[in-house]
Amino acid sequence: MNNFGFNLFSDTFGVVVTYTLGEWSEIISLFFMAITVEYVTGIAASMKEQQGSISQYGFWRLARKGLMLLVIMLAHRMDILLDTDLMMTGAIYFYLANEFISITENYGRLGLPLPVFLKQMIQVLRSKGEGL
């Protein structure tokens, strides 16, 4: 790809990301890191347990991540409409808690140790999530 094509692609990508998610922040970075770790650990745990087709499992896991991103994008547009910063941040925190719980479960399925305080924190998040 020539230099013009690369610049056009990267500029277009930047515009799309900025339009859909707004200004890049550390919480967005953490969210993308969490969904990546959850995806990798979920695939690894499924491979270890030999559960069905890995490609089918991976597809549904990616589809779920895509739907989470759609909700976050929608929340960002609602923030713009209502002139707030609450909707997108709240949606990201909600999904982050779910991703952390899932990562913890995947670690358990893989037989990896987790610190006790982390297990307790996940239990608190899980119990608060059940009340919603």
Side-chain angles (χ1 to χ4, degrees), residues 47-60:
M47 288 173 64
K48 180 181 181 217
E49 295 173 343
Q50 299 175 347
Q51 289 183 346
S53 168
I54 297 302
S55 61
Q56 182 181 12
Y57 183 76
F59 168 77
W60 288 112

Side-chain angles (χ1 to χ4, degrees), residues 5-128:
F6 177 77
N7 287 343
L8 182 63
F9 173 77
S10 61
D11 291 347
T12 304
F13 181 75
V15 166
V16 169
V17 168
T18 302
Y19 179 79
T20 57
L21 295 174
E23 182 179 320
W24 196 265
S25 65
E26 194 57 39
I27 191 171
I28 294 172
S29 295
L30 178 61
F31 178 69
F32 278 106
M33 178 70 73
I35 64 174
T36 302
V37 170
E38 194 283 328
Y39 181 79
V40 171
T41 58
I43 295 295
S46 293
M47 288 173 64
K48 180 181 181 217
E49 295 173 343
Q50 299 175 347
Q51 289 183 346
S53 168
I54 297 302
S55 61
Q56 182 181 12
Y57 183 76
F59 168 77
W60 288 112
R61 217 170 189 95
L62 282 177
R64 196 178 100 202
K65 307 288 182 221
L67 292 173
M68 285 190 295
L69 285 172
L70 286 175
V71 169
I72 290 170
M73 290 175 193
L74 180 63
H76 169 66
R77 301 311 300 172
M78 288 169 44
D79 274 340
I80 290 173
L81 181 66
L82 299 172
D83 195 27
T84 68
D85 285 330
L86 300 173
M87 303 288 187
M88 187 174 93
T89 303
I92 290 175
Y93 278 123
F94 173 78
Y95 287 125
L96 267 176
N98 285 321
E99 292 299 291
F100 288 150
I101 290 169
S102 185
I103 290 168
T104 303
E105 291 170 350
N106 292 339
Y107 267 54
R109 290 171 51 202
L110 287 166
L112 297 171
L114 279 173
V116 175
F117 78 90
L118 191 56
K119 289 179 184 177
Q120 291 171 343
M121 187 171 70
I122 297 301
Q123 287 293 34
V124 168
L125 287 173
R126 186 177 286 155
S127 65
K128 288 188 182 218

